């Protein structure tokens, strides 16, 4: 059993890199990739923990990419030597994220709720602050009963406190990942929110621009859709990966470490596919 898509406290996960690797080892996961949003801050600690607990470690990152519909997230897997281009890309993403956070705070405060970025940073030290952290603060202040309700009422697209995210240019992200020794993989393609009639052409374009892998198996999609994604991916030429997109039980109780769509254990074969492209 393996897992090629995991989050930690470096971004919006519940567990520290050390804790998540320990949990992976306890569950019999032999290969684990830490892929925090727009940051590599958890990689060094994760790598050290992996050596301690005997887990094969895949250093990664999940980048937000500009795209006209839905959300486009690009995984960089196997980031062995972080390039200047990748460092610059992350710096720009953090600047854009900070600006977005300020705009969200303004909307929240305009509606009479006392919340500051300083308070957020104090409550989540070392984290890349994002909407999940706002949701946690709204629960803490008693505005909503749970995080999902915070998104449903206030933070999701079309809700009163939503602010559009500015991501990276796809071509620049592909170059940055490859210059860092990694492999670009499109995460959870269903989140692009494209119809099945339009999705194959869009994926073909993404492949032609240099993205090499496709995460066909993700717990946010139905098994039938994942199998269909794998079929499309193989026809285009992508290699296929699978992940849990695990954030922690308190954040997404429906996702389990080492498991993907349909609560299926993630097979070792997906690591072997990725490994071929990393060597």
């Amino acid at each position: 059993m393996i897992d090629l898509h995991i989050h930690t406290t470096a971004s919006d996960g519940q567990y520290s890199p050390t804790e998540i690797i320990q949990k992976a080892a306890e569950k019999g996961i032999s290969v684990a990739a830490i892929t925090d949003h727009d940051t590599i801050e958890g990689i060094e600690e994760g790598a050290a923990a992996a050596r301690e607990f005997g887990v094969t470690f895949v250093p990664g990152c999940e980048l937000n990419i500009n795209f006209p519909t839905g959300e486009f997230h690009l995984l960089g897997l196997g980031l062995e030597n972080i390039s200047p281009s990748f460092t610059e890309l992350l710096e720009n993403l953090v600047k854009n994220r900070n600006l977005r956070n300020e705009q969200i705070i303004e909307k929240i405060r305009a509606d009479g709720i006392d919340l500051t970025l300083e308070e957020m940073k104090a409550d989540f030290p070392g984290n890349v602050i994002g909407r999940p952290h706002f949701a946690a603060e709204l629960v803490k202040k008693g505005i909503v009963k749970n995080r999902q309700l915070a998104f449903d009422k206030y933070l999701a697209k079309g809700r009163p406190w939503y602010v559009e995210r500015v991501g990276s240019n796809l071509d620049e992200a592909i170059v940055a990942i490859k210059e860092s020794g990694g492999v670009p993989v499109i995460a959870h393609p269903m989140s692009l929110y494209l119809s099945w009639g339009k999705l194959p052409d869009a994926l073909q374009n993404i492949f032609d621009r240099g993205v090499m892998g496709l995460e066909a198996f993700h717990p946010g999609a139905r098994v039938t859709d994942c199998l269909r994604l794998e079929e499309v991916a193989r026809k285009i030429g992508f290699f296929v990966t699978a992940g849990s997109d695990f954030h922690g039980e308190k954040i997404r109780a429906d996702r389990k470490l080492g498991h993907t769509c349909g609560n299926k254990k993630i097979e070792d074969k997906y690591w072997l596919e990725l490994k071929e492209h990393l060597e």
Side-chain angles (χ1 to χ4, degrees):
M1 187 165 57
I2 67 161
D3 201 329
L4 298 176
H5 190 163
I6 304 170
H7 295 278
T8 77
T9 50
S11 62
D12 57 351
Q14 178 181 339
Y15 298 104
S16 71
T18 298
E19 289 170 336
I20 205 70
I21 294 297
Q22 183 175 2
K23 283 179 72 70
E26 289 170 353
K27 290 179 177 293
I29 292 170
S30 59
V31 180
I34 285 179
T35 55
D36 281 307
H37 295 282
D38 303 334
T39 183
I40 53 172
E41 290 300 315
I43 286 179
E44 187 174 347
E45 180 185 336
R51 289 191 293 271
E52 179 182 350
F53 293 105
V55 174
T56 297
F57 183 66
V58 181
C61 186
E62 184 173 10
L63 303 172
N64 184 53
I65 304 296
N66 289 324
F67 196 73
T69 63
E71 289 187 339
F72 186 167
H73 290 176
L74 187 67
L75 296 169
L77 297 176
L79 304 172
E80 294 297 340
N81 300 290
I82 302 303
S83 67
S85 61
F86 199 92
T87 300
E88 182 180 0
L89 184 138
L90 289 181
E91 289 173 351
N92 288 332
L93 281 169
V94 169
K95 287 177 185 176
N96 291 333
R97 187 183 284 268
N98 289 341
L99 178 60
R100 184 196 196 203
N101 290 341
E102 290 171 6
Q103 292 170 333
I104 293 174
I105 285 283
E106 287 174 7
K107 286 175 176 281
I108 292 173
R109 291 181 64 83
D111 282 346
I113 296 169
D114 185 22
L115 181 63
T116 66
L117 272 180
E118 288 70 29
E119 184 180 352
M120 295 276 292
K121 290 174 182 175
D123 286 345
F124 301 102
N127 288 54
V128 177
I129 302 295
R131 284 184 299 164
H133 303 100
F134 282 102
E137 286 292 333
L138 294 176
V139 173
K140 178 182 173 184
K141 289 180 177 292
I143 308 300
V144 291
K145 291 184 178 180
N146 57 62
R147 296 186 188 204
Q148 188 57 51
L149 200 56
F151 276 87
D152 294 342
K153 290 188 69 174
Y154 301 112
L155 296 169
K157 195 164 188 173
R159 300 291 92 197
W161 300 339
Y162 178 79
V163 175
E164 195 71 42
R165 191 185 315 185
V166 177
S168 294
N169 172 275
L170 174 59
D171 300 304
E172 292 176 358
I174 292 168
V175 169
I177 290 169
K178 290 183 176 179
E179 286 183 348
S180 299
V183 174
V185 175
I186 180 172
H188 41 72
M190 298 303 291
S191 70
L192 296 175
Y193 293 142
L194 291 172
S195 68
W196 280 107
K198 294 181 178 179
L199 187 60
D201 285 345
L203 292 178
Q204 181 69 60
N205 175 263
I206 291 167
F207 177 80
D208 291 342
R209 290 163 73 173
V211 175
M212 301 163 68
L214 183 143
E215 185 184 53
F217 296 93
H218 182 274
R222 297 177 301 177
V223 174
T224 53
D225 288 333
C226 292
L227 292 170
R228 192 171 178 181
L229 280 171
E230 180 178 28
E231 184 180 356
V232 172
R234 301 290 188 198
K235 285 181 179 178
I236 291 172
F238 288 107
F239 72 89
V240 170
T241 71
S244 68
D245 202 355
F246 182 77
H247 287 69
E249 298 85 0
K250 291 181 180 178
I251 298 171
R252 291 296 300 263
D254 58 323
R255 296 183 182 175
K256 297 179 181 178
L257 203 61
H259 293 71
T260 189
C261 61
N263 200 30
K264 295 167 69 173
K265 289 183 178 180
I266 304 172
E267 299 174 56
D268 293 1
K269 66 180 182 180
Y270 298 111
W271 162 236
L272 299 178
E273 281 202 56
L274 170 61
K275 193 176 179 183
E276 284 182 13
H277 291 82
L278 289 174
E279 292 176 345

